[in-house]
Amino acid sequence: MRRLIPICALSVALALPSHAEEDTGKSLMEQGAELFFEGLRKEMEPALEDLQGLVGKFGPAMQSFFQELGPALAELADEIEDWSVYEAPEMLPNGDIIIRKKPIPDEPEVPEESQEETDGATEI
């Protein structure tokens, strides 16, 4: 009987910390994660407010741009099946923008000396 009392007291003492943790409902890891994300939110708040200002400033202009050019871009996207077969766009001295097809590896390239010079126009 004398040994039963210390064993019961020891069991109660060991159970108290786990019971106290259950009262708060959150482990130290959960509390730390909450504090981390709260700090991150506070740090990001000014940047997000600036971004909202930019959206308010440029949003109507971008909407107008997409309304005007949207149909033309959709038509172009329908015609081009694979964008990977084209080079990056290139602006010519006269302001024209061209997009060349990449050379096919099996096809021999035509040397530039054999191409005819035209009267200042760029041949496509």
Side-chain angles (χ1 to χ4, degrees), residues 2-70:
R2 288 186 179 185
R3 290 186 179 168
L4 184 60
I5 293 175
I7 291 174
C8 290
L10 184 61
S11 298
V12 169
L14 291 175
L16 283 178
S18 65
H19 181 69
E21 188 176 303
E22 290 173 7
D23 287 344
T24 62
K26 297 178 186 172
S27 70
L28 290 176
M29 290 296 288
E30 290 172 325
Q31 292 174 1
E34 282 182 0
L35 290 173
F36 172 75
F37 286 118
E38 180 68 22
L40 185 63
R41 186 187 62 78
K42 286 181 181 177
E43 289 290 324
M44 293 296 296
E45 195 169 346
L48 291 174
E49 288 174 1
D50 290 345
L51 182 62
Q52 284 179 337
L54 284 174
V55 168
K57 185 178 179 182
F58 292 112
M62 291 302 292
Q63 185 176 8
S64 171
F65 173 77
F66 284 121
Q67 283 176 348
E68 292 175 16
L69 287 180

